[in-house]
Amino acid sequence: MNILCPICKNPLIKENTCYKCINRHSYDLSKEGYLNLNTHPSKNSGDEKQMIRARSHFLNKDCYAFLKREIDQILVSNNSQQLIDLACGEGYYTSYFHVKDKIGIDLSKEGLKLAAKKDKSSFYLLASIFNTCLEDHCADSILTCFAPLAKEEVGRLLKKDGIFIFIKPGARHLFELKEAVYDKAYLNKEEIDEIAGFDVFKSYEINDKRILDNETIKELFMMTPYSHKTARSDIEKLDKLDDLAVTFSFIITIYKKM
């Protein structure tokens, strides 16, 4: 998969620890090994350090292992050779997949530092999932897990007959956690997004339930968007929990490019 210059869109060629295009625009590899192609950095780009740390600690306990195994089986069954993981975070899923050519893309430097440092089987780019700096029709599989749907970019990047795997929370995902914090818990919506030029090949739900200790409960909550939208008094309710049985529910939708 050729990487393109974010300024002039010409291919980037690696020279030692640097990537350069024909117009001599130059981008250095970080010491961890990811390539920063974000030409419009902002203070709030990507997930913050506290959320990344909480998510990394939680995912390393493999509560979501059943999900990454399921995705990997889809990729293997499809004989995927080139995978783009849009919004890859710290590479928990990307690093696991049995695909020859893997690129993970995210806007979080903190996430990519962890990903590139521990996973040498994939290449990581700091870029927007809506402007990936990759050539057209370069991948036979694309994954987006718990992130916005970049419809146009997915259509541009995917080869004909390629698959796009989109993961969203199921209706009862983390329902018990929400019950513990909020006065009225709510179910997640289970809508299937339409993408022009794609057919829905398959859509189904997978579930698991785990008893989590207090530390893991707090890590799980801090890695979710709820942590930014919840009053401190409600978050403090988690301190009173010794453990909690929590439902993990995911909707997996597999699209095929027509």
Side-chain angles (χ1 to χ4, degrees):
M1 290 184 278
N2 288 331
I3 304 170
L4 307 180
C5 174
I7 297 175
C8 65
K9 303 303 180 183
N10 283 296
L12 291 174
I13 306 299
K14 186 179 181 183
E15 297 181 8
N16 299 317
T17 60
C18 184
Y19 280 75
K20 298 180 180 179
C21 70
I22 193 172
N23 293 316
R24 308 310 291 173
H25 299 129
S26 180
Y27 308 90
D28 293 325
L29 281 170
S30 71
K31 64 179 181 181
E32 293 85 5
Y34 69 85
L35 184 63
N36 187 346
L37 297 182
N38 182 21
T39 58
H40 300 287
S42 68
K43 187 175 181 180
N44 296 317
S45 291
D47 291 334
E48 61 188 30
K49 184 179 291 188
Q50 185 179 16
M51 181 180 284
I52 289 289
R53 186 184 299 115
R55 187 167 66 205
S56 181
H57 288 171
F58 175 82
L59 291 175
N60 285 338
K61 296 175 181 179
D62 264 348
C63 294
Y64 285 0
F66 75 107
L67 174 59
K68 70 178 180 182
R69 288 194 296 264
E70 183 73 17
I71 300 170
D72 187 58
Q73 185 57 49
I74 295 170
L75 295 170
V76 170
S77 298
N78 193 66
N79 193 29
S80 297
Q81 299 298 309
Q82 306 97 16
L83 169 70
I84 301 171
D85 187 353
L86 298 176
C88 64
E90 62 280 7
Y92 172 77
Y93 300 99
T94 327
S95 62
Y96 181 79
F97 300 139
H98 296 82
V99 179
K100 182 179 180 181
D101 192 4
K102 300 180 291 181
I103 291 182
I105 297 176
D106 206 284
L107 268 180
S108 170
K109 282 187 178 182
E110 297 302 325
L112 292 188
K113 284 178 182 179
L114 294 174
K117 189 174 182 179
K118 68 183 179 183
D119 175 25
K120 302 305 179 183
S121 69
S122 311
F123 189 72
Y124 291 96
L125 293 177
L126 183 71
S128 168
I129 64 173
F130 298 96
N131 182 21
T132 60
C133 301
L134 296 174
E135 63 182 336
D136 293 353
H137 316 306
C138 62
D140 58 27
S141 53
I142 296 176
L143 168 69
T144 297
C145 189
F146 311 131
L149 175 56
K151 294 182 180 181
E152 292 184 3
E153 195 69 345
V154 169
R156 183 184 72 80
L157 295 171
L158 202 59
K159 295 179 179 179
K160 182 181 178 182
D161 296 326
I163 62 168
F164 171 51
I165 307 168
F166 191 47
I167 314 292
K168 296 171 69 173
R172 295 191 63 83
H173 183 58
L174 309 186
F175 189 75
E176 298 87 355
L177 184 62
K178 289 187 282 189
E179 281 186 313
V181 173
Y182 304 121
D183 293 332
K184 186 177 181 180
Y186 60 91
L187 298 175
N188 299 315
K189 295 181 180 180
E190 291 188 340
E191 299 174 339
I192 297 179
D193 299 88
E194 293 185 3
I195 307 177
F198 286 78
D199 280 333
V200 175
F201 176 71
K202 190 177 183 181
S203 187
Y204 60 101
E205 184 174 346
I206 62 171
N207 300 278
D208 195 12
K209 197 165 189 174
R210 291 284 189 96
I211 297 176
L212 310 180
D213 60 26
N214 183 265
E215 178 185 61
T216 308
I217 292 168
K218 290 179 180 178
E219 290 169 349
L220 175 58
F221 189 81
M222 288 306 300
M223 68 181 250
T224 70
Y226 308 135
S227 62
H228 296 294
K229 304 173 183 178
T230 305
R232 172 55 54 185
S233 58
D234 286 330
I235 295 176
E236 289 174 352
K237 295 175 184 177
L238 298 177
D239 294 333
K240 301 176 182 179
L241 299 176
D242 292 326
D243 54 47
L244 184 68
V246 178
T247 298
F248 303 132
S249 178
F250 307 110
I251 303 297
I252 300 176
T253 303
I254 305 171
Y255 298 86
K256 197 154 192 176
K257 189 174 182 181
M258 295 185 290

